[in-house]
Amino acid sequence: MNKIEEKLKKTIKKTFKISKIPKDFKNLKMGDLKKWDSLGNYQLLLAIEKEFNTRFETAIFTEIKSIKEILRALKK
């Protein structure tokens, strides 16, 4: 697992106040975690922006709904 993924896991735990991330981490999507609903998704994306010192384009906020999409956006 690379540094981006580790940092992302930490951000997810902190945002959703959970202690464990499922083993199929890269396959997680909105709705898979108890608090990952539309509001939770927005909060997660804001936390990721802060943690990674980056900004997502406004249009992307409505499109990103999974870990795979988050990782893709972070690599850009």
Side-chain angles (χ1 to χ4, degrees):
M1 189 159 306
N2 64 38
K3 289 181 181 185
I4 291 174
E5 291 172 8
E6 285 298 326
K7 208 171 175 182
L8 182 55
K9 277 185 169 185
K10 193 162 103 177
T11 305
I12 291 169
K13 285 180 182 180
K14 190 175 176 183
T15 302
F16 298 128
K17 296 174 179 57
I18 57 175
S19 59
K20 265 178 117 175
I21 298 287
K23 290 185 187 218
D24 60 343
F25 162 73
K26 288 185 181 180
N27 294 318
L28 288 175
K29 60 188 178 307
M30 190 166 67
D32 288 347
L33 301 174
K34 188 175 182 180
K35 294 182 181 180
W36 195 357
D37 54 12
S38 57
L39 179 58
N41 194 57
Y42 183 73
Q43 292 170 332
L44 176 61
L45 294 176
L46 289 176
I48 290 169
E49 283 186 333
K50 185 175 181 181
E51 183 68 32
F52 286 86
N53 195 28
T54 190
R55 284 276 186 235
F56 295 123
E57 294 178 26
T58 308
I60 268 185
F61 261 75
T62 58
E63 296 172 13
I64 296 177
K65 294 178 170 65
S66 71
I67 297 301
K68 287 179 183 176
E69 292 168 347
I70 290 169
L71 288 170
R72 203 173 305 130
L74 286 172
K75 289 177 183 176
K76 288 185 176 180

